[in-house]
Amino acid sequence: MMRRLLLFAFWGIALVPLLNGQQTTQVAFIPTQHAWANRLLSDIDSLGHTQVLPLNPFTYGTHRLAVAEATEWEAPLGQDGWLMNAIFNRDALHLNRKNFSLVAHPTFDITLGQDNSRAEAVYQNTRGLALQGRIGQNVAFYTDFHENQARFPTYLEGWIDNSIERPKRVVPGQGIPKTFKSDPTQYDYAYATGMVSWQMNKFFNAQFGNGKNFIGEGHRSLLLSDNAFNYPYFRLQTRFWKVQYTNLYAQLRDVNFTLSDGTYARKYIASHYLSVNLGKKINIGLFETVIYGDSLGTRRQELAYLNPIIFYRPVEFAIGSRGGNVLMGLQASYRASAQLHFYGQLALDEFKIDELRANDGWWANKYGYQVGVKGRLAQPNVYYRLEFNTVRPYTYGHTVGLQNYAQYNQALAHPLGANFQELVLQVNYYRGRWFAEAQLNYQQVGRDETGQHWGSDVYISNRDREQERGNETLQGTLTQTIWGQVRLGWTINPAYNLRLETGLQIRQFS
């Protein structure tokens, strides 16, 4: 067994866009970053169909603006002049006309710290530009570009450079890097995000973009998460009565398959999510998705999967046994009060009732579940979350490697893949412009060793499984990770989340 303690302190000025147009337009994108999204959404009725992120800006944009304005009101600064307002309260540059508005500001994330397992300092230097606006009353847009250089803690560097099963290097969630200054410990990479949202009428909203999506109430999602790299997508949302129905179509890439023209192999995903309110406190969501493709690049979009109202399993069967990888799921939430919110998920990849009853560990009983509670304490500025996630071996994988539930070397659901258990605790405090955020993760994973497949790595074909029966969660090489973080800081400008912060990360792996 190997044990390692990682200490990582950082400080700097971080500007992460929250995609809003402060006082220029009443539409605003709410991001998928969960610490901020939870705060933004905490006062929205839980039956507002807020499980799909990014939210429709025409429905929830005013709430994003209200949060920024409340922060400014609680701790006003520099309201006597244009320059001071631009620094402390408002967007850096904006135009507002009757049928057009535009907001522009620089984006950057500058951090510096020390990892006690290496002599060199760790750092991140991100610079970019973000634009947002509207055209008329029914079209909103957002785009940004970021250029980055970084040296990461050793455990992240080890993940990026892992060449056992996935030879292509990928920075988690941010794409393929190059070596910076001929130093293999430093990375140079860039990424872009963009989206256009069209509110067609009272019932229909269409969004086209290159970015990430998230489905769920939790810190994690076992259905669709935002930890993998950006991808092009089209999303159609239909909302009426107590129902919201989301259709999501996207093109993904497997960077470990290169086609003859030099591009990475394409695969496609089609998803449905039906959200229904039952009474005043309960929300139920039904999810299904199919992912399909081939390593030769000969397969294109399956028209059968574009039907917006179907169940995918019969279609997959009709196309052929390798027609796609279907995943189904259930999302449920119960809001006992404004301060107490229970939620959970069930992900079903593949199972048979008879095999479940047999209880002999059949490999293809592939599922996972999540249970959690979140809310605010009696002090309205304290937000908390306690969440448990577990997924059985071989879930999200497939016999056809390209049809795994993954994108750019990362799982599309939980970042640990499968064959794990995890407990997450978060406590965040906000008072005016000051904030304190703390998080503790306890993870157990049954990992795959070289040449073995016990069900953790979703990129390994399920045909290479170790055994047919007797499989159980955490089989393989049992590892344990304790990861904790505390951050203290001050918000310089609440309009676009310009923050000065310092913090400490501790990681123990065995």
Side-chain angles (χ1 to χ4, degrees):
M1 301 293 287
M2 183 272 289
R3 299 179 67 85
R4 182 174 65 187
L5 177 65
L6 172 72
L7 297 175
F8 175 52
F10 61 92
W11 56 92
I13 297 179
L15 188 154
V16 182
L18 281 184
L19 319 188
N20 81 289
Q22 176 80 358
Q23 290 195 350
T24 65
T25 175
Q26 290 302 307
V27 295
F29 291 91
I30 294 181
T32 61
Q33 296 99 326
H34 300 306
W36 270 89
N38 289 334
R39 182 185 180 191
L40 300 178
L41 302 178
S42 62
D43 294 328
I44 297 178
D45 186 349
S46 64
L47 302 186
H49 306 292
T50 57
Q51 297 85 17
V52 180
L53 294 172
L55 293 174
N56 178 357
F58 292 94
T59 303
Y60 296 103
T62 54
H63 183 77
R64 168 65 189 98
L65 303 178
V67 171
E69 290 170 356
T71 304
E72 175 194 337
W73 179 81
E74 292 172 4
L77 278 175
Q79 295 181 328
D80 295 334
W82 173 86
L83 179 61
M84 297 297 288
N85 260 315
I87 295 174
F88 293 109
N89 303 311
R90 300 286 187 266
D91 291 303
L93 175 66
H94 61 262
L95 297 174
N96 191 23
R97 300 294 183 266
K98 180 179 179 180
N99 294 313
F100 173 77
S101 69
L102 177 66
V103 173
H105 54 72
T107 64
F108 54 91
D109 186 351
I110 302 172
T111 66
L112 180 65
Q114 186 63 51
D115 176 353
N116 72 345
S117 62
R118 70 187 316 156
E120 310 95 336
V122 294
Y123 73 92
Q124 178 165 323
N125 179 10
T126 298
R127 297 91 56 215
L129 178 68
L131 300 172
Q132 175 176 290
R134 63 173 172 84
I135 302 173
Q137 301 302 315
N138 300 318
V139 176
F141 61 89
Y142 173 83
T143 185
D144 65 35
F145 173 79
H146 297 90
E147 170 65 23
N148 313 266
Q149 289 82 42
R151 179 187 287 121
F152 297 109
T154 52
Y155 77 94
L156 280 179
E157 182 181 293
W159 188 94
I160 295 170
D161 293 337
N162 175 23
S163 60
I164 296 175
E165 298 293 343
R166 296 178 297 278
K168 181 63 68 174
R169 299 196 307 174
V170 172
V171 176
Q174 301 185 63
I176 297 174
K178 301 181 294 183
T179 298
F180 183 57
K181 292 185 177 180
S182 301
D183 182 351
T185 70
Q186 297 187 73
Y187 302 90
D188 188 348
Y189 55 98
Y191 63 91
T193 303
M195 60 195 73
V196 176
S197 181
W198 176 28
Q199 189 67 32
M200 292 180 277
N201 53 42
K202 178 180 179 181
F203 304 104
F204 298 103
N205 176 269
Q207 188 174 114
F208 178 73
N210 184 73
K212 305 178 182 184
N213 291 266
F214 184 93
I215 296 178
E217 298 275 3
H219 174 65
R220 309 291 197 189
S221 175
L222 304 186
L223 305 180
L224 179 61
S225 187
D226 59 352
N227 57 283
F229 185 49
N230 292 348
Y231 47 85
Y233 69 90
F234 173 76
R235 191 182 78 184
L236 177 66
Q237 283 190 324
T238 306
R239 186 167 181 169
F240 62 94
W241 190 47
K242 299 181 179 181
V243 175
Q244 178 172 280
Y245 188 57
T246 302
N247 301 99
L248 178 66
Y249 307 99
Q251 178 181 277
L252 310 177
R253 299 277 181 171
D254 191 322
V255 298
N256 302 297
F257 290 91
T258 302
L259 304 180
S260 58
D261 62 0
T263 62
Y264 301 121
R266 294 176 294 271
K267 55 184 180 180
Y268 304 94
I269 187 170
S271 304
H272 301 151
Y273 182 73
L274 176 65
S275 175
V276 181
N277 295 331
L278 304 177
K280 297 182 178 181
K281 294 181 178 292
I282 299 175
N283 177 271
I284 299 294
L286 300 177
F287 174 79
E288 64 169 350
T289 189
V290 61
I291 188 167
Y292 56 97
D294 72 276
S295 58
L296 299 177
T298 59
R299 190 172 182 188
R300 297 292 189 257
Q301 285 276 5
E302 290 281 0
L303 295 181
Y305 288 139
L306 298 182
N307 191 330
I309 306 176
I310 61 170
F311 285 101
Y312 284 135
R313 186 67 72 181
V315 177
E316 176 202 28
F317 181 80
I319 292 174
S321 61
R322 297 185 179 181
N325 181 13
V326 173
L327 176 74
M328 302 184 70
L330 173 69
Q331 163 78 36
S333 61
Y334 172 72
R335 184 159 183 159
S337 67
Q339 288 78 35
L340 186 60
H341 190 176
F342 298 95
Y343 62 90
Q345 286 184 340
L346 174 64
L348 299 174
D349 189 356
E350 191 174 350
F351 71 99
K352 291 183 179 179
I353 296 298
D354 292 342
E355 295 290 354
L356 285 174
R357 290 174 178 172
N359 195 31
D360 60 356
W362 186 47
W363 76 275
N365 283 334
K366 302 185 292 182
Y367 60 87
Y369 64 87
Q370 172 190 93
V371 291
V373 58
K374 64 180 180 179
R376 293 183 299 171
L377 299 179
Q379 162 57 255
N381 294 323
V382 178
Y383 300 81
Y384 66 89
R385 180 195 301 276
L386 180 63
E387 179 178 299
F388 175 76
N389 299 285
T390 184
V391 175
R392 277 183 56 81
Y394 306 108
T395 306
Y396 306 119
H398 199 264
T399 54
V400 179
L402 192 66
Q403 294 184 164
N404 53 33
Y405 199 55
Q407 148 83 346
Y408 263 76
N409 283 357
Q410 285 192 280
L412 279 170
H414 197 290
L416 292 177
N419 196 21
F420 69 86
Q421 295 179 349
E422 180 192 45
L423 188 66
V424 179
L425 173 64
Q426 295 176 328
V427 179
N428 299 328
Y429 173 72
Y430 305 95
R431 184 175 180 85
R433 295 176 185 251
W434 292 97
F435 63 89
E437 301 173 347
Q439 180 172 327
L440 180 66
N441 289 29
Y442 175 72
Q443 302 169 338
Q444 288 184 312
V445 183
R447 296 193 181 274
D448 303 308
E449 296 293 340
T450 303
Q452 299 180 346
H453 184 29
W454 291 103
S456 175
D457 191 339
V458 301
Y459 271 88
I460 305 177
S461 172
N462 283 344
R463 66 165 59 96
D464 297 328
R465 58 187 178 273
E466 297 299 318
Q467 56 193 20
E468 192 76 9
R469 301 186 183 276
N471 296 283
E472 59 184 13
T473 306
L474 303 183
Q475 65 185 16
T477 301
L478 179 63
T479 64
Q480 174 180 279
T481 302
I482 300 174
W483 182 91
Q485 173 180 266
V486 293
R487 296 192 297 182
L488 303 173
W490 186 71
T491 301
I492 299 173
N493 192 319
Y496 45 87
N497 195 26
L498 175 63
R499 313 201 299 179
L500 177 67
E501 62 183 43
T502 184
L504 173 71
Q505 292 181 10
I506 298 177
R507 181 178 184 267
Q508 179 178 289
F509 174 82
S510 60

